[in-house]
Amino acid sequence: MQKISMRRLLAGVAVTMLPATAMAADLEVTHWWTSGGEAAAVQELARIFEEQTEHSWVDGAIAGSGSTARPIMVSRIIGGDPMGATQFNHGLQAQELVEAGLMQDLTEVAEANGWRDTINPVSLLDACTFEGRVYCAPLNIHSPQWMWTSLSAFEKAGVEPATTWEELKAAAPALREAGILPLAQGMQGWQTALLLYGMISGIGGADFYNQVFAERDEEALNSDTLKNIFAEYAIARNLASGGNLSDWNMATNRIIEGTAAAQVMGDWAQGEFALAGKTAGTDYGCHIGLGGEPVIATGGDAIYFPVNSDAAVTEAQRALAQVILSEEAQVAFNAAKGSLPVRGDIDLASVNECTQAGLETLKAGNTIPTIDLVMSSDSRGQIEDLTAEFFGSDLSAEDAHARFVQIVQSEM
């Protein structure tokens, strides 16, 4: 683990100090934020934590995706070797740990700092609440319903930059002719599933998405709309063929380089563009959804604090929880990561057009629940396995649709 020593690096800058404790603590924070943009965001949070408290941030980054990191985190907690704080996504990922009494109760911190009055949407706080008590600190809002485009790639191909799925399909022959990959798609299961979720909400719409995942409506599951979406999903497989990509940031880098035209990926991709010095609207385009009404899922990341017998560590945990919801941390972390803040009272007039579009969509109430809130981890895993198999084989759209319906209906 790498200890980030950043306390008071900005001499002379006024900061609001949290109450000093009798004993400072080293607080190990585990997470899977390891891409360039993500690491920059973590450094911002660590800097503010160390500037505003007497405690130290000890970085416990775990390489790989959340599906790799979460089992390691859970194993440590239930095995009696808890970290000081750990990342999970909003939803049900940590509920069993909460039910087992292994997570700190943050209700006093939440009430003292008015979290229910400032967190927007309040459903993010509700996702941290169990039997009326708060057990995590919401950090950001991530929406996966974005299509990112390389403006130089379309210029090289001699076609207008795509802003919708239909426009991307129409431009694909010219892109291929110019040696440009139409769709940069990582082949890990969570990424191929994310594309499917984005197509269901983008092509089908918000109501249809809810009918499929939240209501498990039999008519919607067997509708021509969903069958057509799986046919479009097969087209996506063709557009991505030849990419041979794995990690999501490798796919994003193809957009940054201009060797691929588009990527359907969460707003965390924006952190990679920022790190590469790229400008929204000049170097790359960002489009919520795939052409229908803009809609975003209000999921994201939250920090949980495993129970610890060391009083100094417990105090450091409460201090970090307070820092996470501070205005300074919300602005700095989310600006670096490309996500939206969970506080609804922050002025972000200076952010770029992509973040502004996300904020406007959120303000308009055009939201859907993140998949973590409406599907069990087991079913999500099965969908990820199915979509990864689909992209790695010649499995038909019809067979993939039938298997998808079986997985969703197993939740009923």
Side-chain angles (χ1 to χ4, degrees):
M1 293 177 295
Q2 178 183 6
K3 183 174 178 178
I4 304 177
S5 298
M6 300 182 182
R7 188 181 304 129
R8 299 178 183 82
L9 291 180
L10 302 178
V13 177
V15 295
T16 302
M17 297 295 293
L18 297 176
T21 59
M23 183 181 299
D26 290 339
L27 192 69
E28 180 194 1
V29 185
T30 57
H31 58 86
W32 57 86
W33 293 311
T34 55
S35 75
E38 291 172 331
V42 171
Q43 289 182 344
E44 286 296 295
L45 187 57
R47 172 184 64 80
I48 295 168
F49 175 65
E50 293 199 337
E51 286 178 357
Q52 295 191 9
T53 80
E54 295 299 318
H55 306 292
S56 298
W57 175 292
V58 179
D59 202 61
I62 299 174
S65 65
S67 58
T68 299
R70 280 189 294 269
I72 297 172
M73 296 167 173
V74 172
S75 178
R76 283 190 54 184
I77 294 169
I78 64 178
D81 180 29
M83 62 293 291
T86 189
Q87 171 196 9
F88 282 108
N89 296 125
H90 296 307
L92 306 177
Q93 292 177 357
Q95 183 167 316
E96 291 185 357
L97 297 173
V98 171
E99 292 175 346
L102 296 176
M103 291 298 186
Q104 294 280 7
D105 185 336
L106 302 175
T107 307
E108 291 183 3
V109 177
E111 292 178 347
N113 290 277
W115 287 6
R116 184 156 290 276
D117 295 326
T118 57
I119 292 175
N120 179 48
V122 74
S123 59
L124 298 177
L125 182 60
D126 292 337
C128 286
T129 305
F130 177 71
E131 295 184 348
R133 310 297 292 179
V134 177
Y135 289 93
C136 66
L139 178 57
N140 59 11
I141 299 172
H142 266 318
S143 52
Q145 289 81 19
W146 293 79
M147 184 171 76
W148 306 93
T149 57
S150 167
L151 302 187
S152 65
F154 286 95
E155 182 179 3
K156 180 180 178 181
V159 293
E160 288 295 314
T163 62
T164 69
W165 178 248
E166 290 299 320
E167 290 174 358
L168 178 62
K169 289 194 299 179
L175 292 165
R176 287 286 192 189
E177 182 67 22
I180 294 168
L181 181 68
L183 181 65
Q185 175 63 51
M187 295 302 162
Q188 295 167 337
W190 71 269
Q191 296 181 67
T192 51
L194 183 149
L195 174 61
L196 178 61
Y197 303 148
M199 298 184 85
I200 291 174
S201 63
I203 297 173
D207 290 342
F208 185 75
Y209 174 94
N210 283 321
Q211 289 169 0
V212 169
F213 291 112
E215 301 171 18
R216 283 87 157 169
D217 181 78
E218 185 172 353
E219 183 176 346
L221 287 168
N222 293 287
S223 66
D224 289 340
T225 299
L226 189 56
K227 292 176 182 177
N228 176 63
I229 288 171
F230 270 88
E232 294 295 316
Y233 196 54
I235 293 173
R237 178 172 59 185
N238 291 333
L239 297 185
S241 65
N244 300 318
L245 297 167
S246 177
D247 294 335
W248 69 269
N249 51 316
M250 292 173 57
T252 304
N253 193 55
R254 293 289 299 271
I255 308 300
I256 293 171
E257 295 174 340
T259 59
Q263 178 189 23
V264 177
M265 181 49 59
D267 52 11
W268 50 88
Q270 194 168 193
E272 302 302 300
F273 289 110
L275 197 65
K278 301 301 182 180
T279 302
T282 300
D283 301 307
Y284 65 95
C286 51
H287 311 283
I288 303 176
L290 299 174
E293 182 179 11
V295 59
I296 60 175
T298 52
D301 301 302
I303 301 298
Y304 286 78
F305 302 88
V307 171
N308 194 294
S309 59
D310 187 325
V313 170
T314 299
E315 185 61 32
Q317 292 173 324
R318 293 176 178 274
L320 178 57
Q322 184 172 336
V323 166
I324 284 170
L325 269 296
S326 69
E327 182 173 345
E328 183 180 0
Q330 284 287 300
V331 171
F333 179 87
N334 288 297
K337 199 169 188 295
S339 48
L340 302 179
V342 299
R343 287 185 58 151
D345 60 348
I346 296 176
D347 181 10
L348 291 173
S350 62
V351 299
N352 69 25
E353 61 187 61
C354 300
T355 301
Q356 288 286 3
L359 290 169
E360 290 170 5
T361 304
L362 182 64
K363 184 178 180 180
N366 295 334
T367 63
I368 53 178
T370 179
I371 199 70
D372 296 299
L373 293 175
V374 292
M375 297 289 287
S376 69
S377 58
D378 179 65
S379 292
R380 284 188 291 104
Q382 291 183 56
I383 292 173
E384 291 174 6
D385 290 344
L386 169 62
T387 59
E389 178 186 347
F390 183 83
F391 264 80
S393 70
D394 59 357
L395 181 67
S396 70
E398 294 80 8
D399 288 344
H401 167 254
R403 287 171 56 182
F404 173 82
V405 171
Q406 289 179 342
I407 294 169
V408 175
Q409 288 183 328
S410 70
E411 291 269 296
M412 301 173 67

